[in-house]
């Protein structure tokens, strides 16, 4: 029986718009999606602002693509990243791309890759343009990937994002269920997860203080969860108050 290989991914990082402190968690999340076959980062590493990245390149086997600022006001980094992305796209060797940036200029690149039938997974700040987030199959907020350094462990309560109330996720979960066909109201939980990502690429159950989607569903107290069969349906109105 042939081995089932995980999706081959090209990871392209815009160093100018991505903090180095997310590197460890970033590659942990990418590993859940597939194999990071290409790992490239773009920026002017002679700039002191990018020193944080030079310290983690070796640890994650990232190949730096040095871009000197030849002209003020021109972004050679973005142009080089796009050129490399198109070369990799037309090589036909990859199943998807991970674009790590908060720059809205990459919206068109994400759309072009998806037109070719490949998945695009975005990683960037919450403030990233909605157009870029929506252009990706899934968009993970960098704020959820921050890891405090050992010297700052005492400050984690101050730097850690405050989770949203699980109940605020009820509308999008309900919408996902509504858009899935069902005779008895029960739908597959995994299907709900996929539908939610289609509706909102930046959806992340961790932002609601939950470890898994099933935990989030349970915490809303708005749905019946059949864990054994992996299915879910809205609770009758009479049960929601209980």
């Amino acid at each position: 029986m042939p081995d089932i290989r995980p999706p081959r991914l090209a990871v392209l990082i815009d160093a100018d718009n991505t903090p180095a402190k997310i590197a460890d968690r970033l590659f942990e999340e990418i590993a859940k999606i597939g194999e990071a076959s290409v790992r490239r980062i773009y920026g002017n590493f002679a700039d002191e602002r990018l020193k944080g990245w030079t310290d983690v390149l070796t640890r994650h086997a990232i190949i730096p693509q040095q871009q000197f600022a030849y002209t003020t006001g021109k972004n050679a980094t973005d142009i080089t990243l796009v050129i490399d992305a198109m070369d990799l796209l037309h090589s036909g060797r990859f199943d998807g791309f991970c674009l790590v940036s908060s720059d809205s200029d990459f919206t068109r690149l994400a759309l072009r890759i998806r037109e070719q039938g490949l998945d695009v997974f975005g990683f960037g700040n919450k403030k990233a343009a909605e157009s870029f987030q929506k252009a990706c199959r899934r968009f993970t907020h960098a704020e959820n990937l921050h890891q405090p350094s050992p010297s700052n462990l005492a400050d984690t309560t101050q730097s850690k994002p405050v989770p949203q109330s699980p109940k605020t996720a009820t509308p999008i979960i309900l919408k996902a269920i509504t858009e899935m066909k069902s005779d008895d109201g029960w739908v597959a939980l995994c299907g709900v997860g996929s539908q939610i990502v289609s509706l909102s690429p930046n959806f992340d159950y961790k932002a609601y203080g939950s470890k898994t989607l099933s935990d989030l569903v349970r915490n809303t107290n708005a749905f019946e969860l059949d864990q054994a069969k992996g299915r879910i349906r809205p609770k009758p109105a009479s049960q929601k108050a209980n």
Side-chain angles (χ1 to χ4, degrees):
M1 183 176 178
D3 293 335
I4 300 177
R5 181 168 185 164
R8 292 170 58 92
L9 304 172
V11 181
L12 308 180
I13 304 171
D14 174 11
D16 293 334
N17 286 282
T18 307
K21 59 186 175 182
I22 73 167
D24 293 343
R25 288 286 306 282
L26 170 67
F27 282 97
E28 287 178 9
E29 291 299 313
I30 291 174
K32 298 175 184 177
I33 304 169
E35 176 189 342
S37 301
V38 166
R39 306 177 181 204
R40 298 180 186 176
I41 188 167
Y42 302 79
N44 180 8
F45 297 98
D47 191 326
E48 186 67 22
R49 294 183 302 111
L50 301 188
K51 184 180 184 303
W53 275 112
T54 62
D55 295 337
V56 300
L57 296 180
T58 302
R59 184 162 78 244
H60 292 288
I62 309 171
I63 299 177
Q65 305 294 313
Q66 171 65 32
Q67 296 301 313
F68 292 103
Y70 296 111
T71 307
T72 303
K74 301 296 183 181
N75 199 336
T77 298
D78 290 1
I79 294 173
T80 304
L81 190 154
V82 171
I83 290 174
D84 278 6
M86 296 310 294
D87 286 344
L88 294 169
L89 174 65
H90 291 298
S91 73
R93 296 184 290 116
F94 299 92
D95 303 300
F97 282 72
C98 295
L99 301 182
V100 188
S101 179
S102 300
D103 194 336
S104 62
D105 290 345
F106 294 120
T107 299
R108 186 67 187 92
L109 173 61
L111 291 171
R112 177 65 185 85
I113 294 172
R114 296 196 70 180
E115 286 175 0
Q116 201 70 19
L118 277 66
D119 289 329
V120 176
F121 302 94
F123 298 83
N125 295 332
K126 291 181 180 179
K127 67 180 181 181
E130 184 178 7
S131 59
F132 180 39
Q133 297 191 42
K134 293 286 188 180
C136 300
R137 178 186 172 187
R138 191 169 79 205
F139 192 92
T140 300
H141 290 148
E143 289 85 349
N144 294 330
L145 301 178
H146 285 182
Q147 282 187 323
S149 63
S151 61
N152 293 329
L153 286 178
D155 299 327
T156 55
T157 56
Q158 299 179 6
S159 59
K160 188 176 181 180
V162 178
Q164 302 178 53
S165 168
K167 292 184 181 297
T168 61
T170 299
I172 191 169
I173 298 174
L174 184 59
K175 184 174 182 181
I177 293 174
T178 302
E179 294 189 0
M180 298 172 67
K181 294 181 179 180
S182 172
D183 294 331
D184 58 3
W186 288 103
V187 295
L189 181 61
C190 61
V192 172
S194 298
Q195 186 66 21
I196 289 175
V197 171
S198 296
L199 293 170
S200 180
N202 60 11
F203 180 87
D204 188 348
Y205 49 78
K206 292 189 291 295
Y208 300 89
S210 301
K211 294 182 178 180
T212 64
L213 178 58
S214 59
D215 285 341
L216 174 59
V217 167
R218 195 178 296 107
N219 293 337
T220 64
N221 197 36
F223 305 93
E224 292 182 346
L225 181 63
D226 184 345
Q227 197 77 50
K229 295 184 178 180
R231 60 182 187 170
I232 176 183
R233 71 177 178 184
K235 277 186 178 180
S238 59
Q239 295 184 26
K240 291 181 181 178
N242 297 330

